[in-house]
Amino acid sequence: MKILLIEDDREAATYLIQALDEAGHVAHHAADGETGFAMASGMDYDVLIIDRMLPRRDGISIIESLRAEDNQTPVLILSALGEVEDRVTGLRSGGDDYLAKPYAFSELLARIEVLSRRASPAEASTIYQVGDLSLNRLSRAVIRGEEKISLQPREYRLLEFLMKYSGQVVTRTMLLENVWDYHFDPQTNVIDVHMSRLRAKIDRGQKTQLLQTIRGAGYMIRA
Amino acid sequence: MFVLFSVVLLGYVAFQSSIEIQRVQARDVSWEIRQLRNLERQRGPRALAVAVQRLSNQPGRGIYYLGNPAGEMIAGNFRSIPSDILLEPGQYSFSYSPQLAFEGLIQNTPQDRENSLRDQRKAQAVVRSILLPSGFRLVVGRDIVQRRDFTRIIVRTMALGVGGIILFSAIAGMLTARRVLARIDTINATSKKIMSGNLSERVPVTKRDDEFDQLANGLNDMLDRIEKLMQGLKEVTDNIAHDLKTPLTRLRNRAEAALREGRTGEDHKQALETTIAESDQLISTFNALLLIARVEAGGHADALSKVDVSKAVLDVCDLYGPVVEDAGGQIEMDIESGIFLQSNRELLSQALVNLLENSIKYALGTSDKTSTTGISNSENKSIKDGGEKILVSVRQTPEEIRISVCDFGPGIPALERKRVLERFVRLEKSRTETGSGLGLALVSAVAKLHKGNFEILQNSAANQSNQEKGSGVCAIISLPKNF
């Protein structure tokens, strides 16, 4: 995946570029808003990671200009401002996801991988299939092998989200944001409790365990 | 502006007066002609001539001329009537030289002479000429100069008036300005004092309750708010200093220790993992502090929107239901549906989450959420039959909305209960406790943001239902519907 990072903090940028590199991505770096905008509009990236506060041109304005040029490259906004309103402003300007600093690298990685996937049209299909587990988005039927699985509405949404991004790591925060629409981190690990219930319904008694816990990152559903 | 208006008004008055005078003059002339004609008809031309002569000799600007059919002047005071006027009866207006016209015919008073000299340049007469039945020609008229005199008087008065008005306005303006400036000066002086650091200074308010007092009151209210915010800021800074320095020190110590006595790579890895975990804790404490500070400063007050409180509470219960069940309890909901409030769903939810987490931690006696490997809830229930429950209720009265979270745990003794609340509201004494100790502080701040109230009471239902532990607490958030 080709990634452009627009971030003025040299040290943070160096670390991120290196980490992205290790994760198997090609990452370029721009240290200020103008350079970043020029690079973003001149080259074809899969994902842009844009810091909100940048010298010479701020992140929001870069995104707005890109969108005005009909550049639809997915954008992850990084910001030290974590408030809900800031998030709303960021997303309204055309950003696709928002991550407040400081963040865990695993969180960032999971999010950009999901973002790059979001840009592909494959996800719009009606039926999600992972191994012998299928989820029909119209009838809301979930079937493992031959057996129909009945899920609570919330469990269904949880599974739907996981299957939408099957094969990719989904973090707890992402689940909390997308399934429950909360943007705070609870002290207790509520997501784990919900996941264990979902796992009990899907994987109990099965030979292959589809729902996997990725240590230090989150969850993944994979055949 | 005012002066301009006065000038226009006076000008209008002068113009109207001048028209009025003209009308009066015309009427007088008609009247005199009528009288003279009657006289001639009743008493003959001789009497007419005498009357005309008498009129002519009166002071003023009357113009009289009486001529016989042969065209000779027999009476009057105006010698040089243009001949076409005499021939053709009607209304005329002509200019003449008063010196010539009146010469030797009227007894000039010194005043008149002076006037005549001034008017020598040109004079304007308005006359009516008629042909009497007897063949005599009568001309009666008025000099416009009289009118001009009047106009001059008006103009002079007007000039005086305008001058007076300007003078008066200037004085009044100066007095007002002086008063205004004096009061602005006091405000200025106060603001200087405040800028030099004395935040408790206030703008003096008089008893007049005028615009300045309203301004002063507004400024004072603003200053009150600023002072409160500053206090809040100071408190937060102090808290941050304490709250973050302690764990930072711990973090540093641990890193140092790892460096010093680190033996194997595994040890280092362990130390680094602890470091990350601890910095995560630090970040979350920091976030909580910032959030509380922002909420208390009213940072969200303008970002409130209509929130379905019932649904928001249901959602949180939905999120925490499984957690409570895993902890061996159960959430019992008593939620009136369709309750709306100007609020912030995120903050409201977080407040509720904090309350629920407290109940889970203290009332259900376990905070071990790592047991995620799936104790099935049916098993769980059969073991703890009628297990401990947490009662979440949302109720509304016409005035307010009450959200309560009640548990049936060990509860808090009455004295302690107050202290707990105080302790958390004032962040300070909770520092030594484990956990960030900021959960209830946030709840309190959220309640305050809604101009509401947050309190912790003994769970009265717990006493009645004779549970084995027999107590428990109710955390109640009351939010007024209109604030």
Side-chain angles (χ1 to χ4, degrees), chain A residues 33-61:
Chain A
E34 282 299 337
T35 321
F37 176 67
M39 286 170 79
S41 53
M43 289 168 81
D44 202 16
Y45 289 101
D46 296 310
V47 173
L48 308 174
I49 304 173
I50 302 179
D51 189 29
R52 253 197 89 160
M53 284 181 276
L54 289 166
R56 293 181 64 201
R57 180 161 190 176
D58 79 292
I60 298 292
S61 130

Side-chain angles (χ1 to χ4, degrees), chain A residues 83-85 102 154 176 180-184 186-188 190 192-194 196-197 215, chain B residues 283 294 300 315-316 318-320 322-323 325-326 345-346 349-350 353 357 369 372 377:
Chain A
E83 293 283 335
V84 179
E85 302 99 275
R154 200 63 78 171
L176 205 61
W180 280 273
D181 192 23
Y182 291 135
H183 299 277
F184 53 83
Q187 294 288 307
T188 45
V190 280
D192 292 340
V193 178
H194 282 270
S196 77
R197 299 207 162 198
R215 195 163 174 269
Chain B
I283 288 164
R294 270 198 76 168
H300 290 268
D315 284 347
V316 173
D318 174 68
L319 180 66
Y320 271 81
V323 181
E325 280 168 23
D326 277 8
R345 175 180 177 266
E346 187 86 4
S349 305
Q350 191 158 8
V353 161
E357 282 186 344
K369 291 300 151 312
T372 54
N377 63 30

